[in-house]
Amino acid sequence: MHLRPSLRRTRAPRARTTARLTATLLAAVALLVSACSSGSPTTSAGGATDAVLAALPRATPSALSPYYSQKLRWRSCGVSGFQCATMKAPLDYAKPASGDVRLAVARKKATGKGKPLGSLLVNPGGPGGSAVGYLQSYAGIGYPADVRARYDMVAVDPRGVARSEPVECLDGHQMDAYTQTDLTPDDQQERNALVTADRKFAESCGAHSARLLRHVSTVEAARDMDILRAALGDPKLNYVGASYGTFLGATYAGLFPDRVGRVVLDGAMDPSLDARTMNLEQTAGFETAFQAFAKDCVRHSDCPLGGKGTTPAQVGDHLRAFFRKLDAHPVPAGDADGRKLGEALATTGVIAAMYDQGTWEQLREALTSAMKENDGAGLLALSDSYYERGADGHYSNLMMANAAVNCLDLPPAFTSPDQVEKSLPAFEKASPVFGAGLAWASLNCTYWPVRATGEPHRVRARGAAPVVVVGTTRDPATPYRWAQSLSRQLSSARLLTYVGDGHTAYGRGSTCIDSAINTYLLHGTPPTTGKRCS
């Protein structure tokens, strides 16, 4: 599916990052080794596959030696305490001589006494979230002091993301139109408009980013991380990845199991799922989060969706009725560019607030303003934060990179609008509130100009050091079942469970979770198998 930092929508969410609201064809296919006698991966109706990500040879190919031996030139980058550098990686690992891609790297040196533990690479997810931005705005200053004292905190924007030769598609005005496309078409005309919007988005990405579009897979990004590990002088990779960052981290572990250091995968994704299954299960995850929000909302006197005694199902009915009203009659939002709050933007605003229960109060206030005062500014602000749209109308490349990576990593969830129509009952059963919209949003990779190079697969990483997999029981974007599945796949995984709400768990208020992860990062002692926190 499509996530953001800490949900970015590719236009459907697949795992987004944890920045909170505050494979080449040859490489990828060659690395998916089937356990079937036929030699080709097979996928069941539930998404599970017999393909397993195979480890790369330990010896570095001679053609890659110049990349592995490069020296990073650190410089000041305008943010106090941080340094920046540019790293080179081959655009195409199958043909290293065909050209380079330049990747933005940032670090903050260890700040305290004690034996240095090397580098700790962080990634907030997406795909498409800026790891450099996450480091400078949160991880490098907000991670526990003891961790920052012992590790150089490091981030690299993956290829195609933010400062690393970003994928480019639509301009700001075009993105405004795209994000307002009706994702619950009521007739053939609206269905055609949705298809046209997805085609235009895909064609624009192909026109503006033709060089990169075949080479932004997760396998390639994981191989880039190994070059960075070598350039930093670390024998093993220490890493904290959230949401999609767990898929990236698990891929690294599968490719380089002997180079796994202390690795935390928080808000885990399940690489064995196909796109349709992933989208459907994430849809159910958002419904789980909405149910929790609904129960909380009606306990407050300012809940505009019902009072005490109102059931979550009734709360959902009231919200859907509001969405239908907006579909017919958008409301003013005080936007300088004249945008009004329609169903699409309102739905995105509500989904954005499902990532963190800390935003539920903000959501109640925004819904009250829109439903009772005809003022859509609050929900529009939530939607803009989700899409990373600035007040000047400029969008980050989050949504563009998100689509580029997701559409390369997995074949599309649907190959035609008719397939979406047939799947609507299943999606609406998974979530009466969000199901239809998320089903239609899953059409986004159908018209992609580059064929997918990846397939669903399991990751074993045999021989790797202990890997901590973290799952939150009511996580909307990366359902808890995914963490359970990934922990069963990885040969050395330890599953750490947070019983609670929100997307990801580390640094979100649980002393139990934070203590377990900090102990692992600082001392190398993973939590006991099956440890649960609340």
Side-chain angles (χ1 to χ4, degrees):
M1 199 165 212
H2 310 105
L3 309 183
R4 91 175 194 190
S6 185
L7 178 101
R8 310 303 186 187
R9 207 175 116 167
T10 66
R11 290 188 50 220
R14 169 168 150 181
R16 151 178 174 163
T17 84
T18 274
R20 308 178 167 64
L21 276 179
T22 30
T24 63
L25 178 59
L26 175 62
V29 173
L31 292 169
L32 296 176
V33 180
S34 173
C36 298
S37 59
S38 66
S40 61
T42 59
T43 302
S44 71
T49 176
D50 292 322
V52 176
L53 186 67
L56 289 168
R58 294 189 179 189
T60 301
S62 58
L64 297 181
S65 293
Y67 296 102
Y68 272 82
S69 61
Q70 67 185 293
K71 303 297 181 183
L72 299 180
R73 298 181 179 180
W74 297 101
R75 62 188 185 278
S76 174
C77 48
V79 181
S80 178
F82 292 86
Q83 298 174 307
C84 291
T86 300
M87 185 187 87
K88 292 182 181 180
L91 175 67
D92 184 345
Y93 276 91
K95 300 175 182 178
S98 64
D100 300 335
V101 60
R102 295 175 179 269
L103 307 178
V105 182
R107 75 176 179 185
K108 187 176 185 183
K109 296 284 288 182
T111 57
K113 299 178 181 179
K115 182 180 178 180
L117 294 174
S119 306
L120 180 63
L121 194 64
V122 296
N123 183 282
S130 172
V132 170
Y134 175 72
L135 176 74
Q136 294 176 340
S137 66
Y138 175 67
I141 55 178
Y143 264 39
D146 289 349
V147 173
R148 291 183 285 114
R150 303 282 299 281
Y151 283 102
D152 290 346
M153 301 293 295
V154 180
V156 56
D157 280 348
R159 51 177 64 204
V161 174
R163 300 164 177 84
S164 293
E165 298 193 22
V167 169
E168 297 179 349
C169 304
L170 304 177
D171 63 27
H173 292 298
Q174 292 169 327
M175 277 297 293
D176 277 347
Y178 183 65
T179 59
Q180 295 177 75
T181 304
D182 189 347
L183 287 173
T184 57
D186 300 313
D187 53 37
Q188 188 63 45
Q189 183 178 356
E190 291 185 350
R191 187 169 117 159
N192 292 344
L194 172 58
V195 169
T196 298
D198 279 332
R199 284 187 183 276
K200 181 178 180 180
F201 183 91
E203 290 168 358
S204 178
C205 294
H208 291 95
S209 299
R211 175 178 179 268
L212 268 177
L213 226 51
R214 289 178 173 83
H215 299 290
V216 292
S217 69
T218 298
V219 164
E220 290 161 310
R223 298 188 71 172
D224 295 343
M225 291 202 305
D226 196 55
I227 292 177
L228 177 57
R229 172 203 58 77
L232 293 169
D234 292 319
K236 294 182 181 293
L237 181 79
N238 303 309
Y239 176 81
V240 177
S243 194
Y244 163 79
T246 68
F247 183 41
L248 180 59
T251 301
Y252 180 91
L255 297 175
F256 307 102
D258 58 306
R259 298 172 192 169
V260 170
R262 299 172 188 178
V263 171
V264 177
L265 306 179
D266 183 15
M269 290 183 63
D270 181 356
S272 74
L273 299 179
D274 59 59
R276 180 188 177 278
T277 303
M278 187 176 292
N279 289 5
L280 184 60
E281 292 191 1
Q282 193 182 56
T283 297
F286 279 102
E287 182 65 21
T288 297
F290 178 76
Q291 294 277 320
F293 164 76
K295 292 176 182 178
D296 178 79
C297 186
V298 298
R299 298 189 185 109
H300 297 270
S301 60
D302 63 344
C303 179
L305 298 170
K308 289 184 179 180
T310 307
T311 67
Q314 291 171 325
V315 171
D317 289 342
H318 296 159
L319 183 59
R320 283 189 295 162
F322 173 59
F323 287 160
R324 287 194 296 270
K325 181 179 178 181
L326 290 177
D327 189 23
H329 303 288
V331 300
D335 180 58
D337 294 310
R339 292 176 301 158
K340 291 187 175 182
L341 182 75
E343 180 184 15
L345 294 175
T347 302
T348 301
V350 173
I351 283 177
M354 294 299 101
Y355 280 87
D356 188 341
Q357 67 269 36
T359 63
W360 289 357
E361 180 180 2
Q362 181 183 354
L363 177 58
R364 292 198 311 271
E365 294 173 352
L367 284 169
T368 297
S369 294
M371 296 174 72
K372 297 184 177 183
E373 301 167 14
N374 214 43
D375 180 0
L379 281 174
L380 183 63
L382 284 168
S383 177
D384 284 350
S385 71
Y386 183 86
Y387 285 123
E388 292 193 356
R389 181 194 191 273
D392 61 357
H394 175 76
Y395 289 76
S396 78
N397 92 311
L398 172 65
M399 291 297 109
M400 306 169 205
N402 184 274
V405 176
N406 284 328
C407 296
L408 199 60
D409 277 349
L410 288 175
F414 299 109
T415 58
S416 70
D418 288 342
Q419 285 191 348
V420 178
E421 290 275 11
K422 292 177 181 178
S423 293
L424 283 176
F427 276 78
E428 290 174 330
K429 181 179 179 181
S431 175
V433 177
F434 305 118
L438 293 182
W440 282 108
S442 303
L443 198 63
N444 69 303
C445 289
T446 302
Y447 309 105
W448 204 246
V450 176
R451 289 190 64 181
T453 58
E455 291 282 351
H457 58 274
R458 303 184 193 280
V459 181
R460 302 296 189 200
R462 298 191 185 281
V467 173
V468 176
V469 176
V470 188
T472 297
T473 56
R474 294 186 294 277
D475 190 315
T478 51
Y480 179 62
R481 195 198 71 75
W482 295 0
Q484 293 175 303
S485 177
L486 182 60
S487 69
R488 288 192 296 266
Q489 294 173 45
L490 291 169
S491 61
S492 61
R494 300 288 181 89
L495 177 61
L496 176 62
T497 298
Y498 174 58
V499 181
D501 298 294
H503 184 37
T504 72
Y506 186 43
R508 298 188 67 248
S510 170
T511 301
C512 174
I513 290 288
D514 292 354
S515 177
I517 293 176
N518 293 340
T519 297
Y520 170 65
L521 291 175
L522 293 170
H523 305 292
T525 305
T528 57
T529 300
K531 182 177 178 63
R532 296 173 70 88
C533 298
S534 58

